[in-house]
Amino acid sequence: MYTLESVRPVKSDIGSTASAASGVAMMQGKARCQSPSPSGLSDLVMSPADMPARSRKAFLQHMVDNLPKSLHNRIMALKHNQMQQIKISEQFFREVYELEKRFYVQSCVLFDARRDIVDGVVEPPVTERYWHEESDEVLEEIKATEEFHQLIKHLPQIPENVRGIPRFWLTVFRNVPLISDLVQEHDEPLLSYLQDVRISYSPDSYTINFAFQPNEYLHMSSLMLTKKYYLRHEADKEYPFLFEGPEIVRCEGCNIHWRDGSNLTLQTVEHKRSRKRSRCVPKVMPRESFFRFFSPPQALDLSLADEKTKLVLGNDFEVGYLLRTQIVPKAILFYTGDLVDNMNDELYPDAASMSSSSME
């Protein structure tokens, strides 16, 4: 709902000649498998859902264009009817957003308690679990593998008398693939000082607030870093029928005041001059860092942005949506692994079955 291009319709009906040909070939191949009839395509015509998406769109547009004229006005009336439903949906989702704001405020006292436990300000009394947790046989099989035993050797050792929960938010971020991809090794010492992450709401935007403890990286004026996301609660005028709720359309970060020599978004490299026997001179270069998250590319009109900017902002918007709806309210569940996603399973199917060879 909050990404850019994943919800956009394809503007060209079929695309290039090559893709059109491949689409037709797929349709014909599927038809031959489904139907022994001489026409070959008869069964497929009855089931456009089996067509590739672009071919299906082209097919259905052609079908509607060639309906009797008496039907055209009725179809147009139904589309107008759909537009009225979208207006109702806009009102529905705006009220849902207002409810989210109201109930978030009620949860703030719980977020305060979470922060105090994580910081070691409060030592909670011993409590018992009153919810049911089923055992998972697959997890137990994974834990019994040699690969797993080698993996857990790299876990950091935490002393028994430690205060609070060290590296809590860093661990949460490292447990979520979409956010972990942003975190570099040189970011980890500073992220270990991250004290809390909260949301503040406005009618057409929300801000994610990252509160840091005093440290050797950030100036005292930058212990609170912010990322603001702007929402559009109305349907896109160009693609109104795709409306599924408010959409992030823009974001802005904040200026970070680094202590001298501590800017994690820059690195100093030795640059050799082209002349012979010339000595190397230090040169400051940008580098990847989680803290580039606070200086996103600016594009007031996303339709005019280049593909790289669209890709970066699309990923950024997903992170902002995930932080607001999942990470901030459910951080402990991402820390403990009660909540995991299967993104890596989809990207690396071999890793998802790492234990299969050991268990066979």
Side-chain angles (χ1 to χ4, degrees), residues 27 41 43 47 52-53 81 113 116 147 180-181 215 221-222 247 257 274 283 287 298 305 316 326 330-331 343 347:
M27 290 189 292
L41 291 173
D43 286 353
S47 182
N81 177 288
D116 291 344
E147 294 93 335
S180 184
D181 287 345
N215 58 81
S221 62
S222 282
E247 182 179 12
H257 299 116
S274 57
K283 185 176 183 180
R287 66 173 172 178
Q298 295 300 306
D316 192 309
Q326 298 292 320
K330 305 173 184 177
M343 180 181 296
L347 293 175

Side-chain angles (χ1 to χ4, degrees), residues 98-296:
E98 293 300 319
L99 280 173
E100 180 183 323
K101 289 166 55 179
R102 190 203 315 170
F103 283 95
Y104 178 85
V105 172
Q106 293 185 26
S107 297
C108 282
V109 64
L110 300 175
F111 296 148
D112 289 342
R114 178 178 69 186
R115 178 199 59 210
D116 291 344
I117 293 173
V118 168
D119 284 352
V121 175
V122 170
E123 186 63 40
V126 177
T127 55
E128 297 294 332
R129 183 178 68 207
Y130 61 86
W131 55 89
H132 178 64
E133 292 184 359
E134 292 185 357
S135 60
D136 190 324
E137 292 183 3
V138 175
L139 292 184
E140 296 306 316
E141 291 174 346
I142 291 175
K143 291 177 182 178
T145 64
E146 180 60 28
E147 294 93 335
F148 186 82
H149 284 285
Q150 292 298 322
L151 189 64
I152 61 177
K153 289 181 180 179
H154 299 282
L155 286 173
Q157 298 299 311
I158 300 177
E160 184 67 30
N161 61 348
V162 71
R163 288 185 57 190
I165 305 178
R167 299 161 53 98
F168 176 80
W169 287 102
L170 170 59
T171 303
V172 170
F173 289 177
R174 279 301 195 189
N175 291 349
V176 180
L178 193 63
I179 301 178
S180 184
D181 287 345
L182 302 177
V183 178
Q184 308 301 313
E185 186 176 352
H186 53 263
D187 295 322
E188 293 190 0
L190 176 50
L191 286 174
S192 67
Y193 286 103
L194 183 56
Q195 184 178 37
D196 203 6
V197 184
R198 297 287 186 95
I199 311 295
S200 56
Y201 289 85
S202 298
D204 294 308
S205 66
Y206 65 89
T207 301
I208 306 173
N209 305 290
F210 298 77
F212 288 83
Q213 297 171 333
N215 58 81
E216 64 269 29
Y217 295 91
L218 299 174
H219 192 274
M220 293 297 290
S221 62
S222 282
L223 294 182
M224 179 68 76
L225 303 182
T226 61
K227 186 68 173 287
K228 188 173 185 177
Y229 290 90
Y230 293 86
L231 301 173
R232 179 175 58 214
H233 291 275
E234 299 76 28
D236 189 324
K237 292 181 180 179
E238 189 173 356
Y239 307 109
F241 297 119
L242 294 176
F243 181 71
E244 294 181 344
E247 182 179 12
I248 296 174
V249 294
R250 186 164 65 89
C251 64
E252 62 183 31
C254 64
N255 292 323
I256 302 178
H257 299 116
W258 298 94
R259 295 187 184 275
D260 291 344
S262 298
N263 190 335
L264 296 177
T265 67
L266 300 176
Q267 62 182 336
T268 301
V269 298
E270 295 294 328
H271 179 68
K272 189 173 183 179
R273 294 177 178 175
S274 57
R275 291 179 299 175
K276 290 184 177 180
R277 297 181 180 178
S278 60
R279 61 187 180 87
C280 294
V281 295
K283 185 176 183 180
V284 177
M285 302 284 290
R287 66 173 172 178
E288 294 297 319
S289 169
F290 171 82
F291 293 92
R292 290 197 172 277
F293 177 71
F294 298 97
S295 54

Side-chain angles (χ1 to χ4, degrees), residues 21-89:
S22 64
V24 172
M26 287 178 66
M27 290 189 292
Q28 290 175 334
K30 194 155 192 173
R32 283 193 293 270
C33 294
Q34 291 178 337
S35 174
S37 63
S39 64
L41 291 173
S42 58
D43 286 353
L44 191 59
V45 170
M46 298 302 294
S47 182
D50 292 331
M51 300 178 183
R54 289 183 171 182
S55 298
R56 182 167 67 249
K57 183 179 178 71
F59 177 83
L60 294 176
Q61 285 185 348
H62 178 83
M63 178 196 75
V64 172
D65 289 343
N66 286 273
L67 289 172
K69 290 185 178 180
S70 58
L71 271 67
H72 283 183
N73 188 59
R74 298 166 198 164
I75 290 174
M76 186 61 66
L78 291 180
K79 281 201 168 184
H80 280 283
N81 177 288
Q82 189 65 40
M83 286 297 293
Q84 296 305 309
Q85 294 182 52
I86 290 172
K87 294 297 182 184
I88 295 172
S89 293

